[in-house]
Amino acid sequence: MHTSVHGLKLSALLAICQTIDIALDLESALDGVLRIMSDQLSMQRATVTLYDPGTGQLSINASYGLTTEEKQRGVYRLDEGVTGRIFRTGEAYYVPDINKEPLFLNKTGSRSIQRGMISFIGVPIILHGEPIGVLNVDRLFEDDIGFEEDVDFLKVVATLIGQFISLNKKVMEREAVLKRENTSLKYQIAKKNKGPYIIGQSSAMLEVQRQMEKVSPTPATVLLLGESGVGKTLIAQIIHELSERKGHPFIKVNCASIPENLLESELFGHEKGAFTGANNTRLGRFEEADSGTIFLDEIGELPIGLQAKLLRVLQDKELERIGSNRTRTINVRVLTATNRNLASLVELGQFRLDLYYRLNVFPIRVPALRERREDIPGLLNHFLQKMERDYGRKMHFTPTALDALIQYDWPGNVREMQNLIERVVIMADSERIGFDFLMSHMALQKTERVPEAVVSFAESQKPCATLKDVERKELIGALERNDWLQYRAAESLGLSERQMGYRVRKYGLESLIAEGRAQLRRQRS
């Protein structure tokens, strides 16, 4: 009998080693091990329960002889039941009859209907001298064989499982590093090949780029936050291009630009005859984006009635077209953007809290242009180069015009900048774009729908005085507002201390600054 048991053990171990050798992931490896133990031995049930550092509990990762519901119930605290005891002590445990063992909890409920005596054995899965999980099984061999045979065999299997888990973890970590390196390389190639990429070397935009490179290879939902015109659509497109979904559709939908009564059909589609005017079956934008990415801009404008449907798509990857009872499964990554405060909309009852949590998995805040003035020259140069390609005109700004653009607050952000550059390139008579010409074209926008800040800025810079007078007046005003401290005045104007010092010397303001400081001291004494 013992000879046949020895043969069974060797045969099963050989099959287990072969299964582990060709397994592509942890789940398939564990399932294969348990299946072999059932096929070649007398085992009716088995579980591999691993420690989850996130929850601090033990939960079943693989099982044999359990339903999905039974497996999901197999969650244990470290001080709970036989499984918890084996994990804590790092020692095997034998239960001759589970009906007489108070530590046996039967949390899965898988043995409730079986009659007669059931024996149960568990061994720890050890890695680097520490338990990482537990392997539990019903008896493997016939009752006339001592349980020690089971324990010895299970310890070998548990060692193999522990080694595979360690190897699998290292492979996953290496894969994550390679994905990040690949994403970063794709981004650099896009830069060189004039593909979509962020223009800007400010610390704020480098942080945005870092976040994009981390999240792009994952399936995570991304929420882009920022003012209108900061480039949220471009960032969404880059995330798609850097993901494994590149080559599949990238579908853009502006939730604010589509009438509410048409938005549901636009997103989820409709069947022929579903409503008046529905003369044909129409796929929604989610179905068009299948296997790819959908970008929902202005998500804060999504009507409350459609938010439940979007939540279902996010949770279950399912939808129904209008007029259809057929449920369709889709594989879509969802990226969203808003310039509104979604948390405030939740408090006002205008946005679902559960949807907010689902969208806010990985928020990226894109800073306004006035928060990263050091990026303005690079952006201006980028758009001038684009205009050169589009219009065949090579243009440049004079130093004073460039200074004015750097100091301007850009309420419309990058979109406003691109529109302005295109306008002045079209209208300019020479390659040189000067301050007066620039300001006149900004001032012309009075009659159009543009932010009031554009108009007020242009009016303050009208060529009613010489350029020197305007710049000198601005410098003196900034110094007065900042107690005649050059570094504070420089910050308020968006200048470096070196630029400020140059202008102070240029306009001979040293004596005026000294007099201003002296006057402040007299007032305070």
Side-chain angles (χ1 to χ4, degrees):
M1 181 67 71
H2 283 279
T3 303
S4 63
V5 167
H6 183 69
L8 281 172
K9 288 164 94 174
L10 287 177
S11 176
L13 284 174
L14 178 61
I16 286 171
C17 289
Q18 290 172 339
T19 296
I20 287 177
D21 185 49
I22 63 173
L24 297 176
D25 54 55
L26 181 61
E27 185 177 351
S28 64
L30 296 180
D31 287 344
V33 168
L34 299 186
R35 188 175 60 255
I36 289 166
M37 290 166 66
S38 172
D39 292 345
Q40 300 196 16
L41 307 172
S42 301
M43 183 194 78
Q44 293 185 12
R45 290 174 203 80
T47 59
V48 175
T49 306
L50 299 179
Y51 176 67
D52 182 353
T55 63
Q57 295 181 320
L58 296 157
S59 57
I60 294 177
N61 279 62
S63 66
Y64 183 85
L66 273 66
T67 66
T68 302
E69 292 76 16
E70 290 168 347
K71 179 180 174 181
Q72 289 173 347
R73 290 196 290 265
V75 179
Y76 306 87
R77 299 191 308 272
L78 301 189
D79 60 351
E80 191 174 29
V82 174
T83 301
R85 183 189 185 282
I86 295 170
F87 184 84
R88 288 195 320 277
T89 62
E91 299 289 340
Y93 196 82
Y94 171 53
V95 180
D97 185 353
I98 64 171
N99 296 313
K100 297 178 181 179
E101 173 56 68
L103 275 179
F104 188 82
L105 303 178
N106 193 25
K107 290 188 81 172
T108 65
S110 63
R111 297 173 179 83
S112 300
I113 61 172
Q114 186 169 337
R115 296 178 182 177
M117 188 178 77
I118 305 173
S119 298
F120 174 88
I121 300 171
V123 297
I125 301 171
I126 305 291
L127 184 63
H128 307 310
E130 296 291 331
I132 61 170
V134 177
L135 171 61
N136 289 326
V137 304
D138 291 349
R139 279 298 308 263
L140 296 172
F141 305 111
E142 301 298 332
D143 292 340
D144 57 343
I145 305 298
F147 76 89
E148 295 87 359
E149 293 281 357
D150 292 52
V151 172
D152 289 344
F153 178 79
L154 288 177
K155 283 182 177 178
V156 176
V157 174
T159 300
L160 292 173
I161 290 174
Q163 292 301 316
F164 185 82
I165 289 173
S166 174
L167 179 62
N168 186 72
K169 183 179 179 183
K170 290 176 182 176
V171 169
M172 289 180 67
E173 289 172 350
R174 180 58 183 155
E175 189 177 273
V177 170
L178 289 173
K179 277 187 174 181
R180 287 197 296 271
E181 290 175 351
N182 185 43
T183 302
S184 182
L185 183 60
K186 282 182 184 175
Y187 189 83
Q188 299 306 320
I189 290 171
K191 244 182 178 180
K192 291 178 181 176
N193 295 340
K194 306 299 180 185
Y197 67 95
I198 293 175
I199 294 94
Q201 291 299 309
S202 62
S203 58
M205 290 312 290
L206 289 176
E207 174 59 20
V208 169
Q209 182 183 326
R210 186 187 71 83
Q211 291 176 307
M212 286 166 50
E213 291 181 355
K214 275 190 170 295
V215 78
S216 293
T218 76
T221 302
V222 179
L223 175 62
L224 299 171
L225 305 168
E227 297 177 6
S228 292
V230 291
K232 299 189 291 293
T233 301
L234 173 65
I235 289 173
Q237 185 180 348
I238 294 171
I239 290 173
H240 170 73
E241 292 290 322
L242 296 180
S243 76
E244 294 176 354
R245 294 175 182 265
K246 180 183 179 181
H248 295 285
F250 176 70
I251 303 296
K252 296 178 283 187
V253 181
N254 189 313
C255 299
S257 66
I258 302 170
E260 184 174 339
N261 62 327
L262 299 178
L263 188 54
E264 182 176 4
S265 173
E266 182 74 16
L267 291 174
F268 305 112
H270 64 255
E271 295 292 338
K272 182 179 180 180
F275 51 82
T276 303
N279 299 321
N280 296 292
T281 296
R282 182 187 188 281
L283 270 65
R285 305 308 293 267
F286 271 97
E287 287 186 79
E288 290 177 2
D290 198 22
S291 300
T293 304
I294 190 167
F295 172 54
L296 303 177
D297 199 5
E298 305 294 353
I299 192 66
E301 308 299 329
L302 189 69
I304 195 82
L306 293 184
Q307 292 177 22
K309 283 203 166 189
L310 175 58
L311 182 64
R312 183 186 175 197
V313 172
L314 288 169
Q315 289 179 334
D316 304 327
K317 307 296 183 186
E318 293 178 347
L319 58 80
E320 283 106 24
R321 296 177 192 158
I322 300 173
S324 172
N325 294 324
R326 180 187 164 195
T327 298
R328 289 173 166 81
T329 302
I330 55 166
N331 172 20
V332 175
R333 185 182 190 179
V334 178
L335 310 178
T336 61
T338 184
N339 58 9
R340 303 186 67 182
N341 187 327
L342 292 187
S344 297
L345 294 180
V346 169
E347 291 179 4
L348 294 171
Q350 297 173 8
F351 205 86
R352 293 178 62 115
L353 180 62
D354 47 6
L355 179 58
Y356 172 66
Y357 285 140
R358 289 298 304 224
L359 297 179
N360 201 37
V361 173
F362 197 94
I364 298 178
R365 180 183 174 273
V366 187
L369 201 47
R370 62 182 171 276
E371 298 175 45
R372 48 184 184 107
R373 294 184 189 275
E374 59 267 49
D375 289 337
I376 290 176
L379 278 163
L380 291 169
N381 187 52
H382 167 76
F383 288 128
L384 285 175
Q385 289 177 355
K386 184 179 186 302
M387 294 306 118
E388 182 181 353
R389 293 194 300 271
D390 293 349
Y391 294 98
R393 302 195 66 190
K394 187 176 180 64
M395 317 290 287
H396 68 272
F397 291 104
T398 64
T400 50
L402 182 59
D403 274 352
L405 292 172
I406 292 171
Q407 293 175 40
Y408 177 46
D409 275 349
W410 297 105
N413 291 294
V414 181
R415 184 184 296 123
E416 179 190 0
M417 177 186 286
Q418 181 172 359
N419 293 341
L420 174 65
I421 301 307
E422 186 165 8
R423 185 165 58 249
V424 297
V425 166
I426 291 171
M427 297 301 296
D429 292 325
S430 71
E431 294 181 352
R432 180 176 172 275
I433 303 173
F435 178 85
D436 293 348
F437 178 79
L438 182 66
M439 290 303 106
S440 67
H441 279 277
M442 294 181 81
L444 284 174
Q445 303 312 301
K446 277 185 179 181
T447 57
E448 299 178 11
R449 294 180 62 190
V450 296
E452 187 60 34
V454 178
V455 177
S456 60
F457 177 81
E459 287 179 341
S460 70
Q461 298 296 328
K462 277 184 180 178
C464 54
T466 66
L467 177 60
K468 285 188 176 182
D469 290 339
V470 172
E471 191 168 29
R472 188 173 190 276
K473 182 180 177 182
E474 284 299 316
L475 290 168
I476 293 171
L479 287 163
E480 285 177 336
R481 291 190 299 273
N482 291 281
D483 295 339
W484 300 97
L485 297 172
Q486 287 188 50
Y487 76 94
R488 283 172 54 183
E491 286 178 2
S492 71
L493 293 172
L495 299 173
S496 67
E497 290 186 48
R498 185 185 62 79
Q499 290 171 323
M500 187 68 182
Y502 166 75
R503 285 164 174 76
V504 166
R505 292 190 297 276
K506 175 182 176 181
Y507 294 111
L509 300 180
E510 295 93 335
S511 59
L512 189 62
I513 291 172
E515 184 182 332
R517 287 179 180 171
Q519 186 174 353
L520 276 177
R521 284 195 296 271
R522 287 195 298 270
Q523 290 172 351
R524 293 171 179 171
S525 61

